[in-house]
């Protein structure tokens, strides 16, 4: 039995000319649809999780730690004044591989709004950070106000949208910030609060509330003049050409040599190791669940081929009586099973890509629909992607390589689950079949 004959027989199995109702054909169509429907959520999960993780990673690296971050000893003279600290940080630009460097002071403090108080993290930085740093310039979205007063080194601050909402504050309002300083007397050391009032110049958001909800940005000069720095943390945030390149380890070593024993230098993946491990494990678990769904759906192909073999036993017997080889019959049913997988791919991949491209709109539609119903009956709200834990807008990235791997995997899986019933069909004996008919 030649290859062309096997393909022709496989075509007649999938697209029979007879109008007789075929349960096996319905099973093949059902298996095809099941494979397609199982591919859709897998592509969605990979696209959304890749975009979500990459978006979060971009914000964590660009807005929080930088590519490299040094924790400078607060007791050295280089951090006692703004000018000396700026020059000290600028010195890292002489290290090969460093493309940008920014001094930063972090202070844990208490903020008071109109009705409540909450803990905040003050980040004192150069006023031009929102212009010179590409991450600050592109990843922060201004919700209210402008950056002009901040860039002019005025006694103002920039706060996150979530913090502004929690404290019920708007641009132009004053925010009271309480820092602490140590007061010594003859008998003991006491902690004294220091109250500073700043005007809110700008309200911003990075689209990732878990990262920026407690940040309060102030000009570096304002921190030195108006805030208590006794419990402050002095940092130098540095950028390289590529944070994912292996050369960053060598650059880290050279920066550590520059600072000597006065600072500890860490890479971004060391500072945020726990977050990235959590991202990776969550993604792997989601993909594993989706793959299990595909495995279950692929069993339908095997069942459909078994039904097809039982339904076409008479034709198998006739073909074998005319000289058809067992391998030729096996190949025909194997082609039928693989065709079923290809049909599922043609259904699932385009639909998965379409749903991925419009996932933000779909999520927004679901949120609006559910919230409309909840407002009528309960007066509450619902967020499918809670901005407190996820990005407000998912940057969708189509994983071409992973989709190709999915297609190859499904084709191989189709061959595996089709092989055993197809092999059984090839071993059928014509006389035994004809006696049963």
């Amino acid at each position: 039995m030649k290859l062309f004959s096997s393909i022709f027989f496989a075509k007649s199995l999938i697209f029979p000319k007879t109008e007789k109702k075929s349960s096996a054909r319905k099973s093949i169509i059902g298996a095809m649809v099941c494979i397609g429907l199982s591919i859709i959520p897998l592509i969605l999960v990979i696209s959304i999780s890749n975009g979500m993780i990459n978006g979060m990673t971009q914000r964590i690296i660009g807005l929080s730690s930088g590519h490299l971050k040094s924790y400078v000893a607060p007791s050295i003279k280089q951090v006692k004044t703004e000018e000396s600290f700026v020059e000290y940080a600028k010195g890292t630009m002489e290290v090969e591989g460093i493309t940008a460097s920014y001094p930063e002071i972090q202070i844990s403090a208490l903020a008071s709004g109109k009705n409540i108080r909450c803990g905040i993290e003050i980040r004192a930085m150069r006023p031009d950070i929102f212009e010179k740093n590409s991450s600050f310039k592109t990843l922060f979205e201004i919700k209210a106000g402008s950056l002009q007063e901040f860039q002019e080194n005025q006694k103002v601050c920039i706060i996150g949208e979530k913090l502004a909402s929690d404290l019920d504050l708007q641009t132009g309002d004053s925010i009271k910030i309480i820092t602490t300083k140590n007061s010594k007397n003859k008998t003991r050391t006491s902690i004294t609060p220091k109250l500073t009032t700043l005007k809110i110049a700008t309200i911003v958001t990075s689209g990732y509330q878990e990262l920026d909800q407690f940040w309060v940005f102030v000009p570096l000069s304002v921190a030195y003049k108006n805030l208590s720095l006794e419990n402050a943390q002095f940092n130098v945030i540095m950028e390289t050409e590529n944070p994912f390149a292996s050369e960053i380890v060598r650059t880290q070593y050279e920066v550590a040599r520059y600072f000597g024993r006065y600072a500890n230098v860490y890479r971004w993946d060391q500072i945020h190791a726990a977050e990235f491990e959590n991202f990776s494990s969550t993604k792997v678990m989601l993909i594993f669940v989706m793959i299990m769904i595909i495995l279950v759906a692929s069993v339908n192909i095997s069942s459909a081929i078994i039904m097809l073999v039982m339904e076409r036993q008479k034709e198998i017997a006739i073909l074998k009586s005319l000289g058809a080889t067992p391998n030729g019959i096996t190949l025909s049913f194997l082609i039928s099973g693989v065709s079923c997988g290809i049909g599922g791919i043609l259904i699932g991949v385009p639909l998965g890509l379409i749903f991925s491209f419009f996932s933000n709109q779909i999520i927004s539609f679901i949120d609006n629909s559910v919230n409309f119903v909840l407002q009528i009956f309960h007066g509450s709200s619902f967020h499918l992607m809670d901005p407190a834990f996820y990005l407000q807008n998912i940057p969708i990235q189509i994983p071409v390589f992973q989709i190709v791997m999915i297609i190859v995997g499904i084709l191989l899986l189709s061959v595996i689950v089709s092989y055993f019933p197809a092999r059984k069909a090839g071993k059928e004996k014509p006389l035994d079949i004809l006696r049963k008919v």
Side-chain angles (χ1 to χ4, degrees), residues 160-186:
E161 183 182 27
K162 180 65 166 58
L163 182 62
S165 176
D166 291 341
L167 298 178
D168 191 21
L169 296 173
Q170 304 292 332
T171 52
D173 292 343
S174 295
I175 182 173
K176 296 178 180 179
I177 295 175
I178 302 173
T179 52
T180 60
K181 60 180 180 178
N182 298 326
S183 300
K184 297 182 179 180
N185 53 37
K186 295 182 179 180

Side-chain angles (χ1 to χ4, degrees), residues 94 106 175 203 206 251 368 375 400 406 433:
E94 299 176 2
Q106 286 186 322
I175 182 173
I203 296 175
S206 69
T251 306
N368 293 335
Q375 288 294 331
V400 177
I406 290 171
I433 295 172

Side-chain angles (χ1 to χ4, degrees), residues 2 5 13 17 60 68 91 107 123 169 201 232 251-252 259 273 277 287 292 309 319 336 340 351 358 365 367 422:
K2 297 182 179 180
S5 300
L13 293 174
K17 294 182 179 180
I60 288 173
L68 293 171
I107 310 170
R123 299 185 65 186
L169 296 173
T251 306
Q252 177 190 14
F259 284 109
E277 286 179 7
I287 293 176
M292 291 302 297
V309 171
L319 288 172
S336 300
C340 185
L351 289 177
F358 295 99
F365 174 76
D367 278 352

Side-chain angles (χ1 to χ4, degrees), residues 93-214:
M93 295 291 293
E94 299 176 2
V95 177
E96 184 181 357
I98 299 297
T99 58
S101 179
Y102 307 95
E104 176 196 45
I105 300 176
Q106 286 186 322
I107 310 170
S108 296
L110 186 68
S112 176
K114 295 180 179 179
N115 299 312
I116 63 172
R117 297 176 181 177
C118 69
I120 60 170
E121 182 181 352
I122 299 173
R123 299 185 65 186
M125 311 192 80
R126 293 290 303 274
D128 57 1
I129 185 73
F130 285 89
E131 282 188 352
K132 291 188 175 180
N133 186 291
S134 58
S135 296
F136 276 71
K137 186 176 181 179
T138 58
L139 297 179
F140 273 120
E141 179 185 355
I142 297 176
K143 291 294 184 178
S146 68
L147 298 172
Q148 182 178 353
E149 291 178 290
F150 185 87
Q151 293 168 344
E152 292 174 354
N153 266 323
Q154 296 187 30
K155 193 177 177 183
V156 297
C157 67
I158 297 173
I159 67 174
E161 183 182 27
K162 180 65 166 58
L163 182 62
S165 176
D166 291 341
L167 298 178
D168 191 21
L169 296 173
Q170 304 292 332
T171 52
D173 292 343
S174 295
I175 182 173
K176 296 178 180 179
I177 295 175
I178 302 173
T179 52
T180 60
K181 60 180 180 178
N182 298 326
S183 300
K184 297 182 179 180
N185 53 37
K186 295 182 179 180
T187 58
R188 61 189 179 88
T189 301
S190 60
I191 297 176
T192 305
K194 181 177 182 180
L195 178 65
T196 305
T197 302
L198 300 175
K199 177 186 173 184
I200 298 174
T202 319
I203 296 175
V204 298
T205 179
S206 69
Y208 184 27
Q209 285 185 11
E210 190 174 355
L211 184 68
D212 65 15
Q213 61 182 327
F214 300 116

Side-chain angles (χ1 to χ4, degrees), residues 188-308:
R188 61 189 179 88
T189 301
S190 60
I191 297 176
T192 305
K194 181 177 182 180
L195 178 65
T196 305
T197 302
L198 300 175
K199 177 186 173 184
I200 298 174
T202 319
I203 296 175
V204 298
T205 179
S206 69
Y208 184 27
Q209 285 185 11
E210 190 174 355
L211 184 68
D212 65 15
Q213 61 182 327
F214 300 116
W215 285 350
V216 174
F217 294 96
V218 300
L220 197 61
S221 60
V222 172
Y224 272 99
K225 294 176 183 177
N226 300 279
L227 300 176
S228 172
L229 303 181
E230 291 189 16
N231 299 306
Q233 178 179 290
F234 296 85
N235 309 318
V236 177
I237 297 175
M238 291 155 282
E239 292 184 351
T240 62
E241 292 183 0
N242 183 5
F244 302 98
S246 58
E247 289 80 7
I248 194 172
V249 177
R250 180 189 59 80
T251 306
Q252 177 190 14
Y253 175 74
E254 294 298 327
V255 172
R257 287 185 59 187
Y258 166 79
F259 284 109
R261 60 190 178 89
Y262 298 112
N264 295 318
V265 182
Y266 297 97
R267 300 187 308 274
W268 63 269
D269 57 329
Q270 294 174 318
I271 298 172
H272 303 287
E275 290 94 328
F276 294 116
E277 286 179 7
N278 183 40
F279 292 160
S280 299
S281 60
T282 302
K283 179 181 177 181
V284 169
M285 184 58 65
L286 287 171
I287 293 176
F288 175 75
V289 172
M290 295 300 106
I291 290 175
M292 291 302 297
I293 294 174
I294 288 180
L295 288 174
V296 172
S298 66
V299 175
N300 292 326
I301 297 178
S302 181
S303 301
I305 298 300
I306 291 173
M307 292 185 66
L308 194 61

Side-chain angles (χ1 to χ4, degrees), residues 313 428-437:
Q313 281 187 330
E428 292 281 2
K429 296 180 179 180
L431 291 177
D432 293 339
I433 295 172
L434 292 173
R435 287 194 190 102
K436 296 176 185 178
V437 177

Side-chain angles (χ1 to χ4, degrees), residues 345-374:
I345 291 170
L346 294 176
I347 294 172
V349 172
L351 289 177
L353 292 174
I354 291 171
F355 284 125
S356 296
F357 277 119
F358 295 99
S359 57
N360 282 305
Q361 291 85 344
I362 293 170
I363 291 171
S364 177
F365 174 76
I366 294 173
D367 278 352
N368 293 335
S369 301
V370 174
N371 284 328
F372 177 76
V373 177
L374 289 176

